[in-house]
Amino acid sequence: MRNATLKDVAAAAGVGVSTASYVLSGSGLNKVGGETAKRIREIAEKLNYRPNSVARELKSGQSRLIALLVSGVNYSFMPDLLQEIEEVLADNHYNALFSIYRTPDEFAERCRNIAQQRIAGGIVSTAGNAKLLKNIEHYFPGIPWMVCSSKTSDAYPAVWVPPEEVGRIGLDLLYRNNHRRIACFDNASDRWSEAKSVAGKYHANVDDIVWLESEYSHIENVWKELDAIKKHTPEKYPTAIFFPGDNEAVEFMSICRRRNIRVPEDISILSVNGSPLCQWVTPHLTSIAQPRGEQGTLAVERLLDWIKTGIRPETLELHCSIQEGQSIRTLPAIQS
């Protein structure tokens, strides 16, 4: 049995093919009355009508496929971001071509694969690696791409939260609560570019920051490093740890419980992203909240406008805020 066509739907609804197309493609709903549009959709559902997107693209000469290229989906803000992107694409009758990479070589391979498809544009998260965008320039010349959740170069517009703002707000919160030996990760990150000025605001020595060498996602190695500090240089043992993500902070807190280490009485914990996970642990995790879904919504809206108008958007910087929990202890005031 053949599938119902647009012509079949139009005939059953007693309307012209163009009218049925306006409703079912979403391209001209303002041209069709509400009752008529409702009838057309009901008949299309009854007849099990499924639009032929390939034929529609060939007829219009326009692709309805948007590439999404990200470094993973299990990071604490990525599910919200991707869900918002997909919803905006669906509302605008676009489809997503989703790819994940873990290494620069995989990034290049994914670009080669995507380049075999006819895409209208793309959204990429580079995890802070500017060199990756060279692949986008090589494989997709003239095709709009938005960078989302990281700004790695001026080659493409971005929607992101500047990392130095995250670091400044987080360190300020910890210094304000009289912490000085603060453990942080990746001292080469742009996140810490304002660390010296924040420390100076509280008459603190930025050299008291404890730079952990372990990869922050490898929590067992973080613990080994902390145990070594406690054994060999206990005077440098941190009173607070500033994790780059909620997931890692929550995992760390779970091991604290097994070790009978109290949060925040024995050690304070601060994280980044402000995901729902922060409310699922005891004590609730204090986090620097980023606009997770909003980054995705604004990135895809700007991309679709770019595709429609040919006008490249400007980079948009969003802001973060403190999501209060109970994982940070206020230490006794430091005597000057």
Side-chain angles (χ1 to χ4, degrees), residues 37-76:
K38 180 181 178 183
R39 184 171 76 253
I40 291 170
R41 284 192 291 267
E42 289 176 347
I43 290 173
E45 183 67 26
K46 182 178 179 181
L47 295 179
N48 197 31
Y49 167 74
R50 295 294 179 266
N52 187 333
S53 59
V54 174
R56 187 166 61 207
E57 288 182 11
L58 289 173
K59 183 177 179 180
S60 67
Q62 296 178 339
S63 170
R64 311 295 292 183
L65 189 62
I66 300 296
L68 305 180
L69 184 54
V70 301
S71 59
V73 297
N74 59 349
Y75 201 59
S76 49

mmCIF file of all heavy atoms in Angstrom, residues 37-76:
data_model
loop_
_atom_site.group_PDB
_atom_site.id
_atom_site.type_symbol
_atom_site.label_atom_id
_atom_site.label_comp_id
_atom_site.label_asym_id
_atom_site.label_seq_id
_atom_site.Cartn_x
_atom_site.Cartn_y
_atom_site.Cartn_z
ATOM 1 N N ALA A 37 -6.847 24.724 9.089
ATOM 2 C CA ALA A 37 -5.546 24.149 9.415
ATOM 3 C C ALA A 37 -5.701 22.932 10.320
ATOM 4 O O ALA A 37 -5.015 21.915 10.137
ATOM 5 C CB ALA A 37 -4.667 25.204 10.090
ATOM 6 N N LYS A 38 -6.592 23.027 11.289
ATOM 7 C CA LYS A 38 -6.829 21.905 12.191
ATOM 8 C C LYS A 38 -7.345 20.697 11.421
ATOM 9 O O LYS A 38 -6.907 19.561 11.651
ATOM 10 C CB LYS A 38 -7.822 22.312 13.274
ATOM 11 C CG LYS A 38 -8.146 21.204 14.264
ATOM 12 C CD LYS A 38 -9.155 21.677 15.310
ATOM 13 C CE LYS A 38 -9.521 20.553 16.262
ATOM 14 N NZ LYS A 38 -10.550 20.978 17.235
ATOM 15 N N ARG A 39 -8.283 20.936 10.485
ATOM 16 C CA ARG A 39 -8.847 19.831 9.699
ATOM 17 C C ARG A 39 -7.761 19.163 8.854
ATOM 18 O O ARG A 39 -7.700 17.932 8.752
ATOM 19 C CB ARG A 39 -9.965 20.358 8.798
ATOM 20 C CG ARG A 39 -10.677 19.242 8.009
ATOM 21 C CD ARG A 39 -11.917 19.735 7.301
ATOM 22 N NE ARG A 39 -11.587 20.511 6.108
ATOM 23 C CZ ARG A 39 -11.708 21.824 6.000
ATOM 24 N NH1 ARG A 39 -12.121 22.531 7.056
ATOM 25 N NH2 ARG A 39 -11.407 22.459 4.878
ATOM 26 N N ILE A 40 -6.904 19.964 8.259
ATOM 27 C CA ILE A 40 -5.839 19.414 7.419
ATOM 28 C C ILE A 40 -4.899 18.544 8.249
ATOM 29 O O ILE A 40 -4.521 17.433 7.833
ATOM 30 C CB ILE A 40 -5.062 20.557 6.735
ATOM 31 C CG1 ILE A 40 -5.951 21.244 5.698
ATOM 32 C CG2 ILE A 40 -3.775 20.042 6.079
ATOM 33 C CD1 ILE A 40 -5.371 22.517 5.137
ATOM 34 N N ARG A 41 -4.534 19.003 9.437
ATOM 35 C CA ARG A 41 -3.624 18.220 10.280
ATOM 36 C C ARG A 41 -4.272 16.924 10.728
ATOM 37 O O ARG A 41 -3.618 15.870 10.785
ATOM 38 C CB ARG A 41 -3.191 19.047 11.487
ATOM 39 C CG ARG A 41 -2.142 20.120 11.167
ATOM 40 C CD ARG A 41 -1.536 20.697 12.424
ATOM 41 N NE ARG A 41 -2.503 21.503 13.158
ATOM 42 C CZ ARG A 41 -2.654 22.809 13.020
ATOM 43 N NH1 ARG A 41 -1.892 23.464 12.150
ATOM 44 N NH2 ARG A 41 -3.546 23.472 13.729
ATOM 45 N N GLU A 42 -5.548 16.974 11.069
ATOM 46 C CA GLU A 42 -6.251 15.758 11.506
ATOM 47 C C GLU A 42 -6.335 14.735 10.384
ATOM 48 O O GLU A 42 -6.144 13.531 10.596
ATOM 49 C CB GLU A 42 -7.654 16.128 12.007
ATOM 50 C CG GLU A 42 -7.644 16.868 13.338
ATOM 51 C CD GLU A 42 -9.037 17.317 13.761
ATOM 52 O OE1 GLU A 42 -9.957 17.263 12.904
ATOM 53 O OE2 GLU A 42 -9.195 17.725 14.932
ATOM 54 N N ILE A 43 -6.619 15.191 9.176
ATOM 55 C CA ILE A 43 -6.704 14.275 8.033
ATOM 56 C C ILE A 43 -5.330 13.709 7.705
ATOM 57 O O ILE A 43 -5.190 12.517 7.396
ATOM 58 C CB ILE A 43 -7.313 15.001 6.812
ATOM 59 C CG1 ILE A 43 -8.797 15.279 7.071
ATOM 60 C CG2 ILE A 43 -7.123 14.195 5.539
ATOM 61 C CD1 ILE A 43 -9.466 16.123 6.021
ATOM 62 N N ALA A 44 -4.286 14.543 7.797
ATOM 63 C CA ALA A 44 -2.931 14.060 7.542
ATOM 64 C C ALA A 44 -2.552 12.967 8.528
ATOM 65 O O ALA A 44 -1.941 11.955 8.155
ATOM 66 C CB ALA A 44 -1.944 15.222 7.634
ATOM 67 N N GLU A 45 -2.953 13.149 9.790
ATOM 68 C CA GLU A 45 -2.663 12.134 10.802
ATOM 69 C C GLU A 45 -3.454 10.860 10.519
ATOM 70 O O GLU A 45 -2.918 9.746 10.632
ATOM 71 C CB GLU A 45 -3.009 12.691 12.187
ATOM 72 C CG GLU A 45 -2.678 11.764 13.339
ATOM 73 C CD GLU A 45 -1.180 11.555 13.510
ATOM 74 O OE1 GLU A 45 -0.399 12.446 13.104
ATOM 75 O OE2 GLU A 45 -0.799 10.489 14.045
ATOM 76 N N LYS A 46 -4.717 11.008 10.146
ATOM 77 C CA LYS A 46 -5.570 9.855 9.856
ATOM 78 C C LYS A 46 -5.037 9.059 8.681
ATOM 79 O O LYS A 46 -5.080 7.809 8.672
ATOM 80 C CB LYS A 46 -7.000 10.332 9.586
ATOM 81 C CG LYS A 46 -7.983 9.198 9.331
ATOM 82 C CD LYS A 46 -9.388 9.752 9.122
ATOM 83 C CE LYS A 46 -10.391 8.631 8.850
ATOM 84 N NZ LYS A 46 -11.755 9.170 8.631
ATOM 85 N N LEU A 47 -4.547 9.749 7.666
ATOM 86 C CA LEU A 47 -4.024 9.085 6.470
ATOM 87 C C LEU A 47 -2.569 8.642 6.638
ATOM 88 O O LEU A 47 -1.972 8.085 5.721
ATOM 89 C CB LEU A 47 -4.123 10.024 5.264
ATOM 90 C CG LEU A 47 -5.539 10.411 4.818
ATOM 91 C CD1 LEU A 47 -5.476 11.370 3.639
ATOM 92 C CD2 LEU A 47 -6.341 9.170 4.458
ATOM 93 N N ASN A 48 -1.983 8.939 7.829
ATOM 94 C CA ASN A 48 -0.592 8.597 8.105
ATOM 95 C C ASN A 48 0.345 9.246 7.085
ATOM 96 O O ASN A 48 1.300 8.636 6.601
ATOM 97 C CB ASN A 48 -0.391 7.073 8.120
ATOM 98 C CG ASN A 48 0.908 6.674 8.796
ATOM 99 O OD1 ASN A 48 1.383 7.349 9.709
ATOM 100 N ND2 ASN A 48 1.501 5.567 8.359
ATOM 101 N N TYR A 49 0.052 10.497 6.782
ATOM 102 C CA TYR A 49 0.877 11.235 5.825
ATOM 103 C C TYR A 49 2.223 11.568 6.442
ATOM 104 O O TYR A 49 2.306 12.039 7.572
ATOM 105 C CB TYR A 49 0.169 12.529 5.408
ATOM 106 C CG TYR A 49 1.070 13.492 4.667
ATOM 107 C CD1 TYR A 49 1.449 13.244 3.352
ATOM 108 C CD2 TYR A 49 1.563 14.637 5.298
ATOM 109 C CE1 TYR A 49 2.283 14.117 2.679
ATOM 110 C CE2 TYR A 49 2.401 15.517 4.629
ATOM 111 C CZ TYR A 49 2.755 15.253 3.317
ATOM 112 O OH TYR A 49 3.581 16.133 2.658
ATOM 113 N N ARG A 50 3.287 11.312 5.695
ATOM 114 C CA ARG A 50 4.632 11.649 6.122
ATOM 115 C C ARG A 50 5.300 12.457 5.022
ATOM 116 O O ARG A 50 5.436 11.966 3.897
ATOM 117 C CB ARG A 50 5.454 10.387 6.419
ATOM 118 C CG ARG A 50 4.935 9.573 7.597
ATOM 119 C CD ARG A 50 5.096 10.366 8.889
ATOM 120 N NE ARG A 50 4.600 9.633 10.049
ATOM 121 C CZ ARG A 50 3.376 9.757 10.540
ATOM 122 N NH1 ARG A 50 2.516 10.585 9.954
ATOM 123 N NH2 ARG A 50 3.004 9.056 11.594
ATOM 124 N N PRO A 51 5.713 13.695 5.329
ATOM 125 C CA PRO A 51 6.313 14.523 4.283
ATOM 126 C C PRO A 51 7.632 13.946 3.797
ATOM 127 O O PRO A 51 8.386 13.354 4.572
ATOM 128 C CB PRO A 51 6.529 15.869 4.970
ATOM 129 C CG PRO A 51 6.602 15.541 6.427
ATOM 130 C CD PRO A 51 5.670 14.368 6.633
ATOM 131 N N ASN A 52 7.888 14.089 2.524
ATOM 132 C CA ASN A 52 9.136 13.655 1.924
ATOM 133 C C ASN A 52 10.121 14.813 1.969
ATOM 134 O O ASN A 52 10.108 15.692 1.109
ATOM 135 C CB ASN A 52 8.901 13.207 0.474
ATOM 136 C CG ASN A 52 10.137 12.574 -0.144
ATOM 137 O OD1 ASN A 52 11.258 12.880 0.253
ATOM 138 N ND2 ASN A 52 9.935 11.692 -1.105
ATOM 139 N N SER A 53 10.954 14.828 3.025
ATOM 140 C CA SER A 53 11.855 15.963 3.216
ATOM 141 C C SER A 53 12.892 16.055 2.105
ATOM 142 O O SER A 53 13.322 17.146 1.726
ATOM 143 C CB SER A 53 12.557 15.862 4.575
ATOM 144 O OG SER A 53 13.294 14.664 4.664
ATOM 145 N N VAL A 54 13.320 14.909 1.573
ATOM 146 C CA VAL A 54 14.308 14.936 0.491
ATOM 147 C C VAL A 54 13.732 15.603 -0.741
ATOM 148 O O VAL A 54 14.353 16.472 -1.363
ATOM 149 C CB VAL A 54 14.780 13.504 0.163
ATOM 150 C CG1 VAL A 54 15.700 13.523 -1.059
ATOM 151 C CG2 VAL A 54 15.485 12.875 1.350
ATOM 152 N N ALA A 55 12.511 15.213 -1.091
ATOM 153 C CA ALA A 55 11.874 15.818 -2.266
ATOM 154 C C ALA A 55 11.656 17.307 -2.047
ATOM 155 O O ALA A 55 11.820 18.116 -2.963
ATOM 156 C CB ALA A 55 10.536 15.118 -2.543
ATOM 157 N N ARG A 56 11.283 17.690 -0.833
ATOM 158 C CA ARG A 56 11.043 19.095 -0.545
ATOM 159 C C ARG A 56 12.335 19.909 -0.684
ATOM 160 O O ARG A 56 12.331 21.013 -1.212
ATOM 161 C CB ARG A 56 10.488 19.238 0.876
ATOM 162 C CG ARG A 56 10.035 20.649 1.224
ATOM 163 C CD ARG A 56 9.194 20.636 2.488
ATOM 164 N NE ARG A 56 9.945 20.142 3.625
ATOM 165 C CZ ARG A 56 9.385 19.548 4.679
ATOM 166 N NH1 ARG A 56 8.091 19.358 4.719
ATOM 167 N NH2 ARG A 56 10.126 19.140 5.676
ATOM 168 N N GLU A 57 13.447 19.318 -0.219
ATOM 169 C CA GLU A 57 14.720 20.019 -0.353
ATOM 170 C C GLU A 57 15.122 20.160 -1.814
ATOM 171 O O GLU A 57 15.636 21.195 -2.238
ATOM 172 C CB GLU A 57 15.812 19.276 0.423
ATOM 173 C CG GLU A 57 15.678 19.403 1.929
ATOM 174 C CD GLU A 57 16.800 18.695 2.666
ATOM 175 O OE1 GLU A 57 17.772 18.303 1.985
ATOM 176 O OE2 GLU A 57 16.704 18.543 3.881
ATOM 177 N N LEU A 58 14.911 19.103 -2.591
ATOM 178 C CA LEU A 58 15.264 19.168 -4.006
ATOM 179 C C LEU A 58 14.439 20.227 -4.721
ATOM 180 O O LEU A 58 14.945 20.963 -5.576
ATOM 181 C CB LEU A 58 15.043 17.793 -4.660
ATOM 182 C CG LEU A 58 16.030 16.696 -4.253
ATOM 183 C CD1 LEU A 58 15.601 15.363 -4.832
ATOM 184 C CD2 LEU A 58 17.443 17.050 -4.713
ATOM 185 N N LYS A 59 13.185 20.330 -4.371
ATOM 186 C CA LYS A 59 12.309 21.305 -5.011
ATOM 187 C C LYS A 59 12.686 22.730 -4.631
ATOM 188 O O LYS A 59 12.707 23.638 -5.475
ATOM 189 C CB LYS A 59 10.859 21.029 -4.619
ATOM 190 C CG LYS A 59 9.851 21.957 -5.306
ATOM 191 C CD LYS A 59 8.438 21.581 -4.916
ATOM 192 C CE LYS A 59 7.426 22.526 -5.594
ATOM 193 N NZ LYS A 59 6.035 22.179 -5.219
ATOM 194 N N SER A 60 12.988 22.938 -3.353
ATOM 195 C CA SER A 60 13.293 24.289 -2.887
ATOM 196 C C SER A 60 14.743 24.677 -3.110
ATOM 197 O O SER A 60 15.086 25.861 -3.130
ATOM 198 C CB SER A 60 12.971 24.413 -1.395
ATOM 199 O OG SER A 60 13.857 23.610 -0.636
ATOM 200 N N GLY A 61 15.601 23.668 -3.287
ATOM 201 C CA GLY A 61 17.018 23.946 -3.410
ATOM 202 C C GLY A 61 17.675 24.275 -2.088
ATOM 203 O O GLY A 61 18.820 24.715 -2.050
ATOM 204 N N GLN A 62 16.978 24.073 -0.959
ATOM 205 C CA GLN A 62 17.487 24.414 0.368
ATOM 206 C C GLN A 62 17.568 23.178 1.250
ATOM 207 O O GLN A 62 16.634 22.371 1.299
ATOM 208 C CB GLN A 62 16.587 25.453 1.039
ATOM 209 C CG GLN A 62 16.552 26.790 0.321
ATOM 210 C CD GLN A 62 15.615 27.771 1.000
ATOM 211 O OE1 GLN A 62 14.722 27.382 1.749
ATOM 212 N NE2 GLN A 62 15.822 29.058 0.745
ATOM 213 N N SER A 63 18.688 23.030 1.937
ATOM 214 C CA SER A 63 18.837 21.941 2.893
ATOM 215 C C SER A 63 18.133 22.308 4.196
ATOM 216 O O SER A 63 18.085 23.472 4.586
ATOM 217 C CB SER A 63 20.321 21.686 3.166
ATOM 218 O OG SER A 63 20.485 20.786 4.250
ATOM 219 N N ARG A 64 17.585 21.305 4.874
ATOM 220 C CA ARG A 64 16.961 21.512 6.185
ATOM 221 C C ARG A 64 17.722 20.734 7.250
ATOM 222 O O ARG A 64 17.171 20.364 8.280
ATOM 223 C CB ARG A 64 15.486 21.050 6.164
ATOM 224 C CG ARG A 64 14.658 21.562 5.012
ATOM 225 C CD ARG A 64 14.473 23.062 5.048
ATOM 226 N NE ARG A 64 13.645 23.504 6.157
ATOM 227 C CZ ARG A 64 13.292 24.772 6.354
ATOM 228 N NH1 ARG A 64 13.714 25.706 5.515
ATOM 229 N NH2 ARG A 64 12.547 25.119 7.382
ATOM 230 N N LEU A 65 19.018 20.524 7.012
ATOM 231 C CA LEU A 65 19.831 19.715 7.915
ATOM 232 C C LEU A 65 20.889 20.589 8.590
ATOM 233 O O LEU A 65 21.644 21.298 7.914
ATOM 234 C CB LEU A 65 20.503 18.590 7.123
ATOM 235 C CG LEU A 65 21.225 17.493 7.913
ATOM 236 C CD1 LEU A 65 20.242 16.736 8.807
ATOM 237 C CD2 LEU A 65 21.926 16.531 6.957
ATOM 238 N N ILE A 66 20.929 20.526 9.927
ATOM 239 C CA ILE A 66 21.891 21.293 10.713
ATOM 240 C C ILE A 66 22.815 20.324 11.440
ATOM 241 O O ILE A 66 22.352 19.436 12.162
ATOM 242 C CB ILE A 66 21.188 22.207 11.746
ATOM 243 C CG1 ILE A 66 20.273 23.204 11.034
ATOM 244 C CG2 ILE A 66 22.219 22.929 12.605
ATOM 245 C CD1 ILE A 66 20.973 24.179 10.125
ATOM 246 N N ALA A 67 24.111 20.475 11.268
ATOM 247 C CA ALA A 67 25.086 19.626 11.945
ATOM 248 C C ALA A 67 25.319 20.108 13.367
ATOM 249 O O ALA A 67 25.436 21.311 13.612
ATOM 250 C CB ALA A 67 26.399 19.620 11.173
ATOM 251 N N LEU A 68 25.378 19.171 14.308
ATOM 252 C CA LEU A 68 25.723 19.458 15.706
ATOM 253 C C LEU A 68 26.965 18.634 16.033
ATOM 254 O O LEU A 68 26.935 17.403 15.957
ATOM 255 C CB LEU A 68 24.589 19.076 16.654
ATOM 256 C CG LEU A 68 23.216 19.690 16.382
ATOM 257 C CD1 LEU A 68 22.214 19.207 17.426
ATOM 258 C CD2 LEU A 68 23.294 21.193 16.379
ATOM 259 N N LEU A 69 28.043 19.298 16.402
ATOM 260 C CA LEU A 69 29.314 18.620 16.649
ATOM 261 C C LEU A 69 29.814 19.016 18.035
ATOM 262 O O LEU A 69 30.197 20.164 18.270
ATOM 263 C CB LEU A 69 30.320 19.032 15.564
ATOM 264 C CG LEU A 69 31.694 18.365 15.564
ATOM 265 C CD1 LEU A 69 31.575 16.851 15.552
ATOM 266 C CD2 LEU A 69 32.498 18.844 14.362
ATOM 267 N N VAL A 70 29.781 18.058 18.972
ATOM 268 C CA VAL A 70 30.123 18.355 20.369
ATOM 269 C C VAL A 70 31.077 17.308 20.906
ATOM 270 O O VAL A 70 31.201 16.208 20.366
ATOM 271 C CB VAL A 70 28.857 18.417 21.257
ATOM 272 C CG1 VAL A 70 27.900 19.488 20.753
ATOM 273 C CG2 VAL A 70 28.155 17.060 21.301
ATOM 274 N N SER A 71 31.744 17.648 22.023
ATOM 275 C CA SER A 71 32.760 16.769 22.598
ATOM 276 C C SER A 71 32.182 15.711 23.527
ATOM 277 O O SER A 71 32.929 14.892 24.048
ATOM 278 C CB SER A 71 33.806 17.593 23.349
ATOM 279 O OG SER A 71 33.191 18.350 24.373
ATOM 280 N N GLY A 72 30.895 15.730 23.769
ATOM 281 C CA GLY A 72 30.271 14.733 24.637
ATOM 282 C C GLY A 72 28.890 15.188 25.063
ATOM 283 O O GLY A 72 28.527 16.353 24.879
ATOM 284 N N VAL A 73 28.108 14.268 25.624
ATOM 285 C CA VAL A 73 26.751 14.604 26.050
ATOM 286 C C VAL A 73 26.558 14.446 27.548
ATOM 287 O O VAL A 73 25.492 14.770 28.064
ATOM 288 C CB VAL A 73 25.706 13.730 25.311
ATOM 289 C CG1 VAL A 73 25.749 13.996 23.825
ATOM 290 C CG2 VAL A 73 25.945 12.240 25.590
ATOM 291 N N ASN A 74 27.570 13.939 28.254
ATOM 292 C CA ASN A 74 27.388 13.676 29.689
ATOM 293 C C ASN A 74 27.899 14.807 30.561
ATOM 294 O O ASN A 74 27.897 14.693 31.781
ATOM 295 C CB ASN A 74 28.067 12.364 30.086
ATOM 296 C CG ASN A 74 29.554 12.366 29.786
ATOM 297 O OD1 ASN A 74 30.053 13.257 29.098
ATOM 298 N ND2 ASN A 74 30.259 11.360 30.291
ATOM 299 N N TYR A 75 28.382 15.903 29.961
ATOM 300 C CA TYR A 75 28.790 17.043 30.758
ATOM 301 C C TYR A 75 27.555 17.715 31.325
ATOM 302 O O TYR A 75 26.480 17.691 30.703
ATOM 303 C CB TYR A 75 29.608 18.024 29.915
ATOM 304 C CG TYR A 75 30.460 18.948 30.742
ATOM 305 C CD1 TYR A 75 31.416 18.442 31.613
ATOM 306 C CD2 TYR A 75 30.316 20.323 30.676
ATOM 307 C CE1 TYR A 75 32.208 19.275 32.390
ATOM 308 C CE2 TYR A 75 31.106 21.174 31.443
ATOM 309 C CZ TYR A 75 32.035 20.639 32.295
ATOM 310 O OH TYR A 75 32.807 21.469 33.071
ATOM 311 N N SER A 76 27.676 18.346 32.481
ATOM 312 C CA SER A 76 26.495 18.705 33.256
ATOM 313 C C SER A 76 25.562 19.711 32.588
ATOM 314 O O SER A 76 24.396 19.775 32.937
ATOM 315 C CB SER A 76 26.904 19.218 34.644
ATOM 316 O OG SER A 76 27.919 20.184 34.552
#
